[in-house]
Amino acid sequence: MGDDVSEAVEESLAQETYGLLLAEITSARLAGGSVIQQRRLASQYAVSRSPMRHALSRLEGEGLLVRDERGVLCVRVITLKDYLNSLTMRMLLEPTAAALAAPGADEEHVGRLLASLDIIEADPEPDPEEVWRSDDALHDFIADHSDNPFMSATIAEMRRYTTIFERQMALTRVKPGVAEHREIIMALASHDAERARKAMASHLEIVRQGVLSNY
């Protein structure tokens, strides 16, 4: 019984550590090319080396950590090519996900998405972290409500790469995507699958053009 409890605690710590490290990587606070020092990170997050090792192994398996030519574990550098390839996958999948999500989009969730967007739009200088949280909430909602776990998982994986790349760029727009997001949300609110499809496709193309013009 004691061993089972110990294993459960370690598994929980590994999951929590993974989540914290994933957030550091996707926010670009742990920058591409950074060398991963397991002992230092274990001390920083106040966990033993075992859950840290499991978390790092998982991130390496997901391609967010890589080995350099010396075999040293580092944060993956997301190149423009990586970004464009990932965005192409999103452009293939997310418009369909939006169309699938629209018919069953519930009023409560859509209302929360709209309220978050209203707050950002009303603020002349919104907190960038709040903008990203609103972005995540909308795209995650659509992926999750596509009712296709394979599509949802692929979108989530591709969004990690595009988010890392975009967050390490100095974008010119203070409120990127607000107008496009509103159109997507209104399509969800009206349960209009084709409108949602077109709105998402337009949004992703605008994102692509914006990044290319700033690169």
Side-chain angles (χ1 to χ4, degrees):
M1 181 69 174
D3 289 343
D4 290 343
V5 172
S6 178
E7 287 180 8
V9 170
E10 185 166 304
E11 184 177 338
S12 176
L13 283 172
Q15 176 64 31
E16 182 180 351
T17 304
Y18 164 82
L20 292 170
L21 287 171
L22 178 62
E24 290 293 297
I25 293 170
T26 54
S27 67
R29 289 191 294 268
L30 197 53
S34 299
V35 173
I36 296 299
Q37 299 176 330
Q38 185 174 312
R39 287 184 179 179
R40 184 183 65 78
L41 287 172
S43 176
Q44 179 181 337
Y45 291 107
V47 296
S48 66
R49 292 178 66 184
S50 180
M52 178 58 67
R53 185 169 58 250
H54 280 89
L56 294 177
S57 177
R58 182 175 172 185
L59 289 165
E60 185 177 7
E62 293 175 353
L64 293 174
L65 299 180
V66 295
R67 301 277 173 179
D68 66 11
E69 64 278 0
R70 300 165 297 165
V72 175
L73 194 63
C74 304
V75 178
R76 177 176 179 172
V77 176
I78 307 302
T79 65
L80 178 62
K81 184 177 181 179
D82 292 331
Y83 173 79
L84 292 174
N85 285 339
S86 301
L87 190 60
T88 295
M89 288 296 294
R90 289 182 60 190
M91 293 172 80
L92 288 171
L93 294 176
E94 280 195 84
T96 298
L100 291 171
D106 64 280
E107 186 176 337
E108 181 181 351
H109 279 91
V110 172
R112 286 203 293 266
L113 293 171
L114 193 57
S116 174
L117 198 65
D118 287 341
I119 291 170
I120 291 168
E121 196 163 31
D123 190 340
E125 295 184 8
D127 179 356
E129 291 303 315
E130 187 58 41
V131 175
W132 279 108
R133 280 192 290 272
S134 177
D135 184 81
D136 287 341
L138 175 58
H139 288 277
D140 289 348
F141 173 84
I142 286 171
D144 292 343
H145 286 75
S146 68
D147 200 28
N148 184 323
F150 299 103
M151 183 179 290
S152 180
T154 303
I155 290 171
E157 182 181 0
M158 295 303 102
R159 284 196 69 244
R160 287 177 183 175
Y161 296 128
T162 58
T163 297
I164 292 168
F165 189 88
E166 289 171 16
R167 292 199 67 158
Q168 63 193 15
M169 285 187 66
L171 295 177
T172 57
R173 293 193 294 173
V174 177
K175 306 175 189 179
V178 167
E180 302 105 81
H181 279 188
R182 184 173 295 281
E183 173 60 17
I184 294 168
I185 293 170
M186 297 313 293
L188 295 174
S190 62
H191 308 293
D192 188 330
E194 190 55 31
R195 181 182 176 186
R197 184 196 305 276
K198 290 179 179 178
M200 180 61 78
S202 174
H203 168 53
L204 294 175
E205 178 57 29
I206 290 170
V207 169
R208 189 179 76 87
Q209 293 295 337
V211 167
L212 288 175
S213 67
N214 280 275
Y215 193 73

